[in-house]
mmCIF file of all heavy atoms in Angstrom:
data_model
loop_
_atom_site.group_PDB
_atom_site.id
_atom_site.type_symbol
_atom_site.label_atom_id
_atom_site.label_comp_id
_atom_site.label_asym_id
_atom_site.label_seq_id
_atom_site.Cartn_x
_atom_site.Cartn_y
_atom_site.Cartn_z
ATOM 1 N N VAL T 201 -39.837 100.114 191.332
ATOM 2 C CA VAL T 201 -39.394 100.652 190.005
ATOM 3 C C VAL T 201 -38.435 101.860 190.194
ATOM 4 O O VAL T 201 -38.893 102.806 190.787
ATOM 5 C CB VAL T 201 -40.601 101.097 189.022
ATOM 6 C CG1 VAL T 201 -40.158 101.520 187.737
ATOM 7 C CG2 VAL T 201 -41.463 99.820 188.793
ATOM 8 N N ARG T 202 -37.163 101.824 189.766
ATOM 9 C CA ARG T 202 -36.328 102.948 189.935
ATOM 10 C C ARG T 202 -35.794 103.419 188.547
ATOM 11 O O ARG T 202 -35.168 102.551 187.836
ATOM 12 C CB ARG T 202 -35.100 102.574 190.700
ATOM 13 C CG ARG T 202 -35.358 102.003 192.159
ATOM 14 C CD ARG T 202 -34.248 101.654 192.963
ATOM 15 N NE ARG T 202 -34.409 101.091 194.186
ATOM 16 C CZ ARG T 202 -34.136 99.772 194.461
ATOM 17 N NH1 ARG T 202 -33.562 99.080 193.527
ATOM 18 N NH2 ARG T 202 -34.324 99.205 195.692
ATOM 19 N N PRO T 203 -36.107 104.542 188.203
ATOM 20 C CA PRO T 203 -35.631 105.144 186.839
ATOM 21 C C PRO T 203 -34.050 105.167 186.824
ATOM 22 O O PRO T 203 -33.452 105.474 187.921
ATOM 23 C CB PRO T 203 -36.266 106.564 186.767
ATOM 24 C CG PRO T 203 -37.377 106.503 187.695
ATOM 25 C CD PRO T 203 -36.998 105.589 188.848
ATOM 26 N N VAL T 204 -33.456 104.897 185.856
ATOM 27 C CA VAL T 204 -32.093 104.837 185.648
ATOM 28 C C VAL T 204 -31.705 106.324 185.019
ATOM 29 O O VAL T 204 -32.308 106.688 184.037
ATOM 30 C CB VAL T 204 -31.513 103.746 184.559
ATOM 31 C CG1 VAL T 204 -30.060 103.932 184.290
ATOM 32 C CG2 VAL T 204 -31.890 102.307 185.139
ATOM 33 N N VAL T 205 -30.677 106.840 185.626
ATOM 34 C CA VAL T 205 -30.259 108.114 185.286
ATOM 35 C C VAL T 205 -29.281 107.931 184.093
ATOM 36 O O VAL T 205 -28.481 107.132 183.997
ATOM 37 C CB VAL T 205 -29.504 108.838 186.498
ATOM 38 C CG1 VAL T 205 -29.003 110.302 185.999
ATOM 39 C CG2 VAL T 205 -30.287 109.092 187.628
ATOM 40 N N ASP T 206 -29.442 108.898 183.040
ATOM 41 C CA ASP T 206 -28.775 108.894 181.770
ATOM 42 C C ASP T 206 -28.669 107.388 181.152
ATOM 43 O O ASP T 206 -27.575 106.871 181.066
ATOM 44 C CB ASP T 206 -27.290 109.428 182.130
ATOM 45 C CG ASP T 206 -27.276 110.778 182.488
ATOM 46 O OD1 ASP T 206 -28.125 111.699 182.084
ATOM 47 O OD2 ASP T 206 -26.333 111.156 183.385
ATOM 48 N N PRO T 207 -29.888 106.949 180.858
ATOM 49 C CA PRO T 207 -29.820 105.676 180.130
ATOM 50 C C PRO T 207 -29.188 105.684 178.786
ATOM 51 O O PRO T 207 -29.162 106.756 178.178
ATOM 52 C CB PRO T 207 -31.320 105.234 180.106
ATOM 53 C CG PRO T 207 -31.971 106.618 180.007
ATOM 54 C CD PRO T 207 -31.145 107.489 180.917
ATOM 55 N N PRO T 208 -28.786 104.616 178.287
ATOM 56 C CA PRO T 208 -28.280 104.586 176.936
ATOM 57 C C PRO T 208 -29.364 104.947 175.916
ATOM 58 O O PRO T 208 -30.395 104.352 175.997
ATOM 59 C CB PRO T 208 -27.735 103.126 176.708
ATOM 60 C CG PRO T 208 -28.489 102.342 177.683
ATOM 61 C CD PRO T 208 -28.708 103.197 178.861
ATOM 62 N N GLN T 209 -29.039 105.911 175.001
ATOM 63 C CA GLN T 209 -30.081 106.230 174.012
ATOM 64 C C GLN T 209 -29.891 105.334 172.781
ATOM 65 O O GLN T 209 -28.887 105.384 172.123
ATOM 66 C CB GLN T 209 -29.946 107.681 173.712
ATOM 67 C CG GLN T 209 -30.377 108.669 174.717
ATOM 68 C CD GLN T 209 -31.725 108.456 175.170
ATOM 69 O OE1 GLN T 209 -32.780 108.422 174.453
ATOM 70 N NE2 GLN T 209 -31.981 108.115 176.480
ATOM 71 N N VAL T 210 -30.955 104.546 172.460
ATOM 72 C CA VAL T 210 -30.960 103.540 171.389
ATOM 73 C C VAL T 210 -31.517 104.218 170.170
ATOM 74 O O VAL T 210 -32.763 104.742 170.271
ATOM 75 C CB VAL T 210 -31.701 102.291 171.812
ATOM 76 C CG1 VAL T 210 -31.547 101.230 170.771
ATOM 77 C CG2 VAL T 210 -31.065 101.657 173.107
ATOM 78 N N PRO T 211 -31.018 104.121 168.991
ATOM 79 C CA PRO T 211 -31.688 104.693 167.751
ATOM 80 C C PRO T 211 -33.023 103.994 167.483
ATOM 81 O O PRO T 211 -33.218 102.890 167.946
ATOM 82 C CB PRO T 211 -30.593 104.283 166.705
ATOM 83 C CG PRO T 211 -29.291 104.176 167.307
ATOM 84 C CD PRO T 211 -29.697 103.563 168.761
ATOM 85 N N ALA T 212 -33.801 104.789 166.807
ATOM 86 C CA ALA T 212 -35.114 104.373 166.488
ATOM 87 C C ALA T 212 -35.045 103.082 165.534
ATOM 88 O O ALA T 212 -34.366 103.173 164.410
ATOM 89 C CB ALA T 212 -36.012 105.449 165.840
ATOM 90 N N PRO T 213 -35.473 101.934 165.907
ATOM 91 C CA PRO T 213 -35.495 100.719 164.981
ATOM 92 C C PRO T 213 -36.315 100.975 163.738
ATOM 93 O O PRO T 213 -37.151 101.706 163.678
ATOM 94 C CB PRO T 213 -36.080 99.596 165.819
ATOM 95 C CG PRO T 213 -36.107 100.129 167.216
ATOM 96 C CD PRO T 213 -36.218 101.646 167.119
ATOM 97 N N ARG T 214 -35.809 100.320 162.635
ATOM 98 C CA ARG T 214 -36.532 100.465 161.322
ATOM 99 C C ARG T 214 -37.240 99.211 161.000
ATOM 100 O O ARG T 214 -37.952 99.151 160.004
ATOM 101 C CB ARG T 214 -35.465 100.817 160.255
ATOM 102 C CG ARG T 214 -34.765 102.145 160.561
ATOM 103 C CD ARG T 214 -35.631 103.299 160.697
ATOM 104 N NE ARG T 214 -36.833 103.410 159.777
ATOM 105 C CZ ARG T 214 -37.926 103.779 160.158
ATOM 106 N NH1 ARG T 214 -38.267 103.999 161.360
ATOM 107 N NH2 ARG T 214 -38.898 103.847 159.165
ATOM 108 N N ASP T 215 -36.835 98.085 161.615
ATOM 109 C CA ASP T 215 -37.556 96.802 161.224
ATOM 110 C C ASP T 215 -37.571 95.826 162.488
ATOM 111 O O ASP T 215 -36.988 96.202 163.634
ATOM 112 C CB ASP T 215 -36.855 96.159 160.057
ATOM 113 C CG ASP T 215 -35.330 95.993 160.138
ATOM 114 O OD1 ASP T 215 -34.849 95.996 161.363
ATOM 115 O OD2 ASP T 215 -34.563 95.920 159.301
ATOM 116 N N ALA T 216 -37.939 94.525 162.292
ATOM 117 C CA ALA T 216 -37.995 93.634 163.346
ATOM 118 C C ALA T 216 -36.686 93.307 163.962
ATOM 119 O O ALA T 216 -36.480 93.190 165.184
ATOM 120 C CB ALA T 216 -38.799 92.401 163.005
ATOM 121 N N ALA T 217 -35.597 93.120 163.100
ATOM 122 C CA ALA T 217 -34.240 92.933 163.552
ATOM 123 C C ALA T 217 -33.753 94.153 164.272
ATOM 124 O O ALA T 217 -33.121 93.816 165.425
ATOM 125 C CB ALA T 217 -33.303 92.604 162.327
ATOM 126 N N GLY T 218 -34.110 95.286 163.897
ATOM 127 C CA GLY T 218 -33.696 96.388 164.779
ATOM 128 C C GLY T 218 -34.379 96.446 166.051
ATOM 129 O O GLY T 218 -33.715 96.931 167.007
ATOM 130 N N VAL T 219 -35.546 96.095 166.137
ATOM 131 C CA VAL T 219 -36.357 95.918 167.480
ATOM 132 C C VAL T 219 -35.629 94.989 168.432
ATOM 133 O O VAL T 219 -35.262 95.246 169.667
ATOM 134 C CB VAL T 219 -37.778 95.531 167.263
ATOM 135 C CG1 VAL T 219 -38.446 95.288 168.672
ATOM 136 C CG2 VAL T 219 -38.516 96.717 166.578
ATOM 137 N N LEU T 220 -35.244 93.797 167.912
ATOM 138 C CA LEU T 220 -34.532 92.778 168.663
ATOM 139 C C LEU T 220 -33.158 93.301 169.185
ATOM 140 O O LEU T 220 -32.719 93.140 170.268
ATOM 141 C CB LEU T 220 -34.397 91.532 168.009
ATOM 142 C CG LEU T 220 -35.785 90.795 167.714
ATOM 143 C CD1 LEU T 220 -35.558 89.355 166.979
ATOM 144 C CD2 LEU T 220 -36.601 90.481 168.922
ATOM 145 N N ALA T 221 -32.565 94.038 168.240
ATOM 146 C CA ALA T 221 -31.190 94.554 168.509
ATOM 147 C C ALA T 221 -31.424 95.664 169.691
ATOM 148 O O ALA T 221 -30.435 95.786 170.558
ATOM 149 C CB ALA T 221 -30.612 95.176 167.297
ATOM 150 N N ALA T 222 -32.442 96.382 169.600
ATOM 151 C CA ALA T 222 -32.740 97.330 170.607
ATOM 152 C C ALA T 222 -32.962 96.784 172.115
ATOM 153 O O ALA T 222 -32.606 97.282 173.083
ATOM 154 C CB ALA T 222 -33.990 98.240 170.326
ATOM 155 N N VAL T 223 -33.499 95.532 172.002
ATOM 156 C CA VAL T 223 -33.629 94.744 173.300
ATOM 157 C C VAL T 223 -32.230 94.470 173.877
ATOM 158 O O VAL T 223 -31.925 94.726 175.058
ATOM 159 C CB VAL T 223 -34.382 93.492 173.073
ATOM 160 C CG1 VAL T 223 -34.362 92.687 174.493
ATOM 161 C CG2 VAL T 223 -35.887 93.808 172.689
ATOM 162 N N GLY T 224 -31.350 94.055 172.955
ATOM 163 C CA GLY T 224 -29.961 93.899 173.416
ATOM 164 C C GLY T 224 -29.277 95.135 173.796
ATOM 165 O O GLY T 224 -28.476 94.972 174.712
ATOM 166 N N ALA T 225 -29.410 96.183 173.095
ATOM 167 C CA ALA T 225 -28.832 97.455 173.487
ATOM 168 C C ALA T 225 -29.278 97.829 174.833
ATOM 169 O O ALA T 225 -28.308 98.456 175.615
ATOM 170 C CB ALA T 225 -29.023 98.503 172.473
ATOM 171 N N VAL T 226 -30.431 97.817 175.266
ATOM 172 C CA VAL T 226 -30.988 98.148 176.571
ATOM 173 C C VAL T 226 -30.181 97.263 177.657
ATOM 174 O O VAL T 226 -29.752 97.747 178.614
ATOM 175 C CB VAL T 226 -32.525 97.977 176.634
ATOM 176 C CG1 VAL T 226 -32.984 98.064 178.094
ATOM 177 C CG2 VAL T 226 -33.172 99.056 175.858
ATOM 178 N N ALA T 227 -30.098 95.897 177.337
ATOM 179 C CA ALA T 227 -29.514 95.071 178.272
ATOM 180 C C ALA T 227 -27.982 95.324 178.425
ATOM 181 O O ALA T 227 -27.432 95.460 179.524
ATOM 182 C CB ALA T 227 -29.736 93.573 177.833
ATOM 183 N N SER T 228 -27.268 95.486 177.358
ATOM 184 C CA SER T 228 -25.802 95.651 177.377
ATOM 185 C C SER T 228 -25.478 97.007 177.847
ATOM 186 O O SER T 228 -24.481 97.306 178.586
ATOM 187 C CB SER T 228 -25.274 95.445 175.945
ATOM 188 O OG SER T 228 -25.717 96.328 175.101
ATOM 189 N N GLY T 229 -26.253 98.080 177.578
ATOM 190 C CA GLY T 229 -26.006 99.366 178.041
ATOM 191 C C GLY T 229 -26.110 99.517 179.609
ATOM 192 O O GLY T 229 -25.457 100.379 180.203
ATOM 193 N N TRP T 230 -26.844 98.565 180.211
ATOM 194 C CA TRP T 230 -26.954 98.593 181.697
ATOM 195 C C TRP T 230 -26.079 97.687 182.280
ATOM 196 O O TRP T 230 -25.767 97.644 183.470
ATOM 197 C CB TRP T 230 -28.481 98.463 182.039
ATOM 198 C CG TRP T 230 -28.705 98.516 183.473
ATOM 199 C CD1 TRP T 230 -29.369 97.584 184.385
ATOM 200 C CD2 TRP T 230 -28.529 99.612 184.378
ATOM 201 N NE1 TRP T 230 -29.587 98.153 185.604
ATOM 202 C CE2 TRP T 230 -28.951 99.357 185.549
ATOM 203 C CE3 TRP T 230 -27.833 100.881 184.256
ATOM 204 C CZ2 TRP T 230 -28.923 100.132 186.722
ATOM 205 C CZ3 TRP T 230 -27.736 101.757 185.324
ATOM 206 C CH2 TRP T 230 -28.177 101.214 186.611
ATOM 207 N N ALA T 231 -25.746 96.580 181.527
ATOM 208 C CA ALA T 231 -24.821 95.491 182.102
ATOM 209 C C ALA T 231 -23.449 95.827 182.553
ATOM 210 O O ALA T 231 -22.919 95.190 183.322
ATOM 211 C CB ALA T 231 -24.864 94.253 181.182
ATOM 212 N N CYS T 232 -23.079 96.994 182.051
ATOM 213 C CA CYS T 232 -21.620 97.411 182.243
ATOM 214 C C CYS T 232 -21.600 97.986 183.782
ATOM 215 O O CYS T 232 -20.571 98.037 184.439
ATOM 216 C CB CYS T 232 -21.183 98.455 181.478
ATOM 217 S SG CYS T 232 -22.178 99.927 181.353
ATOM 218 N N ARG T 233 -22.644 98.148 184.406
ATOM 219 C CA ARG T 233 -22.770 98.631 185.775
ATOM 220 C C ARG T 233 -22.458 97.419 186.718
ATOM 221 O O ARG T 233 -22.975 96.357 186.454
ATOM 222 C CB ARG T 233 -23.926 99.540 186.020
ATOM 223 C CG ARG T 233 -24.245 100.505 184.971
ATOM 224 C CD ARG T 233 -25.364 101.500 185.459
ATOM 225 N NE ARG T 233 -25.610 102.522 184.334
ATOM 226 C CZ ARG T 233 -25.958 103.609 184.529
ATOM 227 N NH1 ARG T 233 -26.206 104.151 185.680
ATOM 228 N NH2 ARG T 233 -26.196 104.382 183.353
#
Side-chain angles (χ1 to χ4, degrees):
V201 179
R202 304 188 184 103
V204 173
V205 179
D206 296 327
Q209 291 302 304
V210 182
R214 302 304 314 140
D215 52 25
V219 171
L220 296 182
V223 174
V226 166
S228 62
W230 184 235
C232 60
R233 311 193 183 206

